[in-house]
Amino acid sequence: MRALVTGAGGQLGRSVARVLAAEHDVVPLTRGELDITDEPRVRAGVAEACPGVIVNCAAYNAVDDAEDDVVAALEVNAFGVRSLARAAAACGATLVHYGTDFVFDGTASEPYREDDAPNPQSVYAASKLLGEWFARSARHYVLRVESLFGGPARLAGADGRRLGGSLDRIADALLDGREVRAFVDRVVSPSYVEDVAAATLALLRGAPAPGLYHCVGSGRGTWFDVATALAEELGVEPVIRGITLDDLALRAARPRFCALSNRKLAAAGVEMPHWRDAVARYAHARRASPRES
Ligand SMILES: NC(=O)c1ccc[n+]([C@@H]2O[C@H](COP(=O)([O-])OP(=O)(O)OC[C@H]3O[C@@H](n4cnc5c(N)ncnc54)[C@H](OP(=O)(O)O)[C@@H]3O)[C@@H](O)[C@H]2O)c1
């Protein structure tokens, strides 16, 4: 099947394009090749490629900047997804889109399920929730992921910034022998891009009922737990300082508890590895491919 991957220059997009290529005819499109906020180009590009599936890895992910940059966040995370969903529906394609744990307010004490009510607390979170809703106008799989990691250590984004998330930056600091600050009051289920990409491939293969699925590293831990496990796997002596959300004056609110349950995905036949297992594989890959300084 032809798979059109948007946002193919990002950390998940690179992984998804590579992993899907094992079974599909992948057309990877970076932002320069297809800007998803350009609806006429999206419509024409999708009609021309005539894909069986569009996998949207494009996003506006600057959580704090979005508080002031509301229009830009909505254009990419909400209306860009609407354009892709409309284009997918027009040519009978399935849309795979990625959501976020931030749609929840973080007041739960057990992992969130797909039928728990969202309550976004930031512009970024609201824009991503709108994107989930817009995705529904096509046959869709919306996979909520969180704390993504596994961005390539050697490659930089279009603007020269390092690709990757918080965990990648923690790995950089640990490998450089720098102090790491990690939240003791934020509980997460970190998601390895390789596992999310493999789950995407498995979903397309198994074709379970379309809809919303949580797709995160199984289990949960605080960021402090995650940083400690990563240091162990990297074989470095860590200097990790535990901090709380109140210690930082972040512009956008972060949910304190955002572990997600993978139960629905598992029932569809797709098992997500535990985050500790994912961190071990990631650390192995980082040791094998040290960062260029
Ligand atoms: N990172 C996380 O921790 C996290 C957590 C929860 C959910 N997610 C979701 O997971 C998905 C993948 O995230 P990621 O971490 O791989 O993000 P990423 O590394 O920031 O990649 C996003 C990609 O989207 C591209 N992009 C931005 N605006 C675009 C536009 N208008 N048209 C086309 N492409 C555009 C970016 O290009 P430029 O580099 O040129 O800007 C970048 O290559 C997203 O839906 C994200 O919201 C991520």
Side-chain angles (χ1 to χ4, degrees):
M1 171 162 72
R2 175 160 299 167
L4 200 143
V5 178
T6 54
Q11 63 166 339
L12 181 61
R14 285 170 189 270
S15 228
V16 162
R18 178 173 40 75
V19 169
L20 292 194
E23 296 178 20
H24 300 284
D25 167 23
V26 173
V27 182
L29 298 172
T30 62
R31 179 192 198 144
E33 290 160 331
L34 183 64
D35 181 335
I36 67 164
T37 65
D38 185 341
E39 179 150 27
R41 278 204 57 202
V42 167
R43 202 183 313 123
V46 170
E48 191 188 320
C50 197
V53 61
I54 300 171
V55 184
N56 178 36
C57 298
Y60 180 108
N61 282 330
V63 176
D64 290 310
D65 293 350
E67 293 296 305
D68 300 320
D69 213 2
V70 180
V71 172
L74 287 170
E75 273 176 355
V76 182
N77 293 344
F79 300 114
V81 182
R82 183 177 63 172
S83 301
L84 290 169
R86 285 176 172 166
C91 70
T94 297
L95 175 65
V96 177
H97 175 64
Y98 300 93
T100 171
D101 54 310
F102 276 33
V103 296
F104 295 115
D105 60 19
T107 56
S109 51
E110 286 302 315
Y112 284 102
R113 298 186 331 193
E114 290 80 354
D115 53 5
D116 287 323
N119 186 19
Q121 299 294 304
S122 64
V123 170
Y124 164 77
S127 71
K128 291 292 292 180
L129 184 59
L130 276 172
E132 290 186 6
W133 287 339
F134 284 132
R136 292 183 196 165
S137 53
R139 181 178 187 277
H140 67 281
Y141 293 108
V142 171
L143 306 181
R144 284 192 187 136
V145 301
E146 70 173 283
S147 311
L148 273 184
F149 65 98
R154 290 167 182 273
L155 294 165
D159 54 2
R161 72 188 153 78
R162 160 94 157 78
L163 286 171
S166 303
L167 195 138
D168 299 280
R169 285 188 292 276
I170 291 173
D172 291 348
L174 288 170
L175 290 167
D176 290 350
R178 285 183 277 123
E179 180 188 83
V180 167
R181 295 187 307 166
F183 288 118
V184 293
D185 61 346
R186 290 202 61 225
V187 175
V188 291
S189 309
S191 313
Y192 190 19
V193 288
E194 296 295 313
D195 293 337
V196 173
T200 304
L201 181 66
L203 264 186
L204 293 177
R205 192 189 303 128
L212 174 64
Y213 290 86
H214 290 173
C215 178
V216 299
S218 292
R220 58 174 125 156
T222 64
W223 271 110
F224 191 87
D225 299 332
V226 174
T228 305
L230 178 58
E232 260 173 50
E233 295 295 342
L234 287 170
V236 298
E237 200 59 55
V239 186
I240 306 175
R241 183 152 59 91
I243 56 167
T244 66
L245 270 172
D246 292 339
D247 291 333
L248 300 185
L250 295 168
R251 264 186 292 165
R254 264 55 169 189
R256 280 180 200 272
F257 181 93
C258 41
L260 303 185
S261 165
N262 288 320
R263 200 174 296 173
K264 182 178 173 191
L265 192 64
V270 182
E271 290 286 348
M272 289 298 285
H274 196 280
W275 67 262
R276 283 182 187 274
D277 174 78
V279 162
R281 282 179 283 127
Y282 169 70
H284 182 78
R286 285 297 304 260
R287 283 198 312 266
S289 174
R291 185 167 51 105
E292 282 175 352
S293 54

